[in-house]
Amino acid sequence: MYSAQQLHLVLPSSELSERNGSAILRVASELSAAAERRGTVTTIGCGINKLRDPHLGVAMITPPPTWTKTIPGVFLDALWKLVAGHTAFAPKYDATKLSGVTDVFVHNQPWLGNHVRRAFPHARIHLYVHNRVMTKARPWAIRNRLGEFDSVVCVSQFLLNDLYRRSRIKNPVERTNLKLVQNGIDVDKFRSLSSDKNEFDIVYVGRIVREKGVHVLADAVRKIASTRPVSIRLVGGKGFLPTDSVSKYEQKVISALTGPNIRLDVTGPVPPGEVPHLVNGCRTWVVPSIWQEPFGLVLLEAMASHTAPIATRVGGMTEVGTSSGVTFVEPSDSQELADAILGLLDDSARADTSVISSRLKAEQHTWAHAYGELEKVINWSSRL
């Protein structure tokens, strides 16, 4: 039996490994490491057969039967959530593998509060919200699910306000369990300049999917290439793991970036630990999301690097990037994005100022600081 004071529960389908670039797994891992540095024993609970690196956690979650992922199963679960306000299918947690758990953080799974509480009846149960959750649930169902947790931790004010609005919480007493803990960044990982001599004008890091706006970036690059040579590196793929295949969307983006005056490098998905040396030889780091990005962990990485960051004004991105050297543009506007890139490429003094300012702001968002804010939530919950 493994002894831990704090437990982070991730999706049972998520591979727990150092090669997985999932933001949720990275947050759970970094918070666990920060807790350990403060003397708090912690671990990550993952699905059976999903533990690739044993030092990272414990395999203890049995997912619902596979038929629940079929169309009838998904329909039944959605109907049950709509009518009853509960999930029809919940994972099973083997609490016998752990002892001494005082706090459980359930990452992005708001329907599982009471299920987790039954498995860990003597622990405080916290919901950790990374994205907009329960988007189709009725206000009363949202309030009931939030009420099942001792605290609800949101990674951005954008998400916190979204839950307030959609749950229609009005009484200040009711909403006291909603708390803000912004994500952190390990600035030291991005401190060293890259040994890669193959410098690129632009770098993009993340999943190459439509909502991330990579096609908008490709269009902006083509506009630049119509008048001058430009180089771009894409770090990522359709998913988080290096084994992911290339999607039709990726093929379309790569095709758009194959032409005169464009030098393109596509790395595919890489482990998070390989990102710093792939980006610090680049001049601008673009985060072109067109959806309401809840926080944008990649933006913090861009700010911590030796590149000049450019991002879209969506979701919670401006909460971190405003007044920090980040150049903001409107989403889906490839011309404004092209102009922003050129503005930094052609003005080295401005680019240097952007790099210095954004790094100073990133240094205020360490994982130690994030865990300190999380400790305040835990202490607040202990007084209930």
Side-chain angles (χ1 to χ4, degrees):
M1 179 180 290
Y2 186 88
S3 177
Q5 294 164 259
Q6 295 178 6
L7 168 66
H8 292 265
L9 292 177
V10 297
L11 289 170
S13 60
S14 297
E15 178 189 285
L16 185 53
S17 71
E18 291 180 343
R19 70 175 191 160
N20 194 334
S22 163
I24 293 176
L25 290 181
R26 289 165 62 198
V27 170
S29 297
E30 293 287 359
L31 289 173
S32 295
E36 295 279 356
R37 289 192 291 269
R38 299 278 277 265
T40 299
V41 181
T42 183
T43 191
I44 301 173
C46 69
I48 303 297
N49 300 323
K50 291 295 181 179
L51 183 60
R52 185 180 176 92
D53 299 329
H55 66 283
L56 292 179
V58 177
M60 56 174 294
I61 308 174
T62 301
T66 54
W67 71 266
T68 64
K69 298 298 183 182
T70 63
I71 293 177
V74 172
F75 175 78
L76 179 59
D77 192 41
L79 181 63
W80 192 253
K81 287 176 179 177
L82 181 64
V83 175
H86 286 277
T87 179
F89 313 109
K92 294 181 180 179
Y93 304 95
D94 187 357
T96 63
K97 292 192 174 183
L98 292 168
S99 65
V101 176
T102 59
D103 290 275
V104 180
F105 300 96
V106 185
H107 288 266
N108 247 33
Q109 301 169 84
W111 303 101
L112 303 180
N114 282 340
H115 298 280
V116 175
R117 193 175 295 281
R118 283 194 290 270
F120 298 92
H122 303 296
R124 292 180 292 266
I125 312 299
H126 313 275
L127 174 63
Y128 219 105
V129 182
H130 299 260
N131 305 101
R132 294 182 73 231
V133 293
M134 301 182 286
T135 54
K136 296 181 180 179
R138 298 177 180 180
W140 63 267
I142 299 176
R143 292 195 299 271
N144 288 346
R145 298 296 71 75
L146 298 180
E148 293 176 355
F149 295 89
D150 293 292
S151 72
V152 177
V153 179
C154 297
V155 301
S156 67
Q157 190 67 46
F158 167 77
L159 286 177
L160 195 146
N161 291 343
D162 177 68
L163 281 177
Y164 282 167
R165 178 181 58 81
R166 290 191 294 109
S167 63
R168 298 180 186 172
I169 295 175
K170 297 180 180 179
N171 187 337
V173 175
E174 288 183 284
R175 68 189 189 193
T176 53
N177 74 329
L178 272 67
K179 302 296 180 181
L180 173 65
V181 177
Q182 291 182 323
N183 290 330
I185 183 68
D186 187 344
V187 179
D188 289 339
K189 291 181 179 179
F190 292 87
R191 194 173 298 280
S192 299
L193 283 170
S194 173
S195 58
D196 184 356
K197 304 300 183 182
N198 198 14
E199 183 181 85
F200 287 83
D201 297 318
I202 305 159
V203 65
Y204 167 85
V205 179
R207 289 186 300 134
I208 301 180
V209 292
R210 185 170 185 81
E211 62 265 28
K212 295 294 185 178
V214 196
H215 59 289
V216 181
L217 174 58
D219 193 28
V221 171
R222 289 174 64 87
K223 290 182 184 334
I224 296 172
S226 66
T227 60
R228 60 191 280 179
V230 62
S231 56
I232 179 171
R233 166 175 280 168
L234 301 179
V235 181
K238 72 173 183 181
F240 299 115
L241 296 170
T243 54
D244 283 331
S245 59
V246 177
S247 69
K248 291 183 179 180
Y249 178 80
E250 287 178 86
Q251 293 172 356
K252 185 177 179 180
V253 168
I254 292 170
S255 176
L257 291 171
T258 302
N261 275 349
I262 301 175
R263 178 164 64 92
L264 172 65
D265 177 51
V266 184
T267 68
V270 301
E274 295 183 14
V275 170
H277 84 269
L278 289 172
V279 301
N280 274 338
C282 302
R283 300 173 67 186
T284 65
W285 186 332
V286 179
V287 186
S289 294
I290 60 175
W291 74 301
Q292 294 301 311
E293 192 87 48
F295 181 86
L297 191 59
V298 69
L299 177 56
L300 264 184
E301 292 179 331
M303 292 166 60
S305 71
H306 292 272
T307 65
I310 302 172
T312 49
R313 296 184 187 93
V314 293
M317 298 246 266
T318 57
E319 295 176 33
V320 179
T322 299
S323 302
S324 65
V326 177
T327 300
F328 279 102
V329 298
E330 292 302 313
S332 299
D333 191 332
S334 60
Q335 185 59 60
E336 185 181 7
L337 180 55
D339 292 342
I341 293 170
L342 285 171
L344 290 167
L345 293 180
D346 292 342
D347 190 337
S348 59
R350 179 184 167 194
D352 290 344
T353 299
S354 173
V355 170
I356 294 171
S357 297
S358 58
R359 279 182 62 82
L360 287 173
K361 186 66 176 289
E363 288 172 352
Q364 300 174 16
H365 287 269
T366 64
W367 284 112
H369 174 76
Y371 183 71
E373 293 300 302
L374 187 58
E375 277 191 319
K376 294 178 183 177
V377 175
I378 295 171
N379 292 335
W380 173 84
S381 299
S382 68
R383 294 196 297 269
L384 292 179

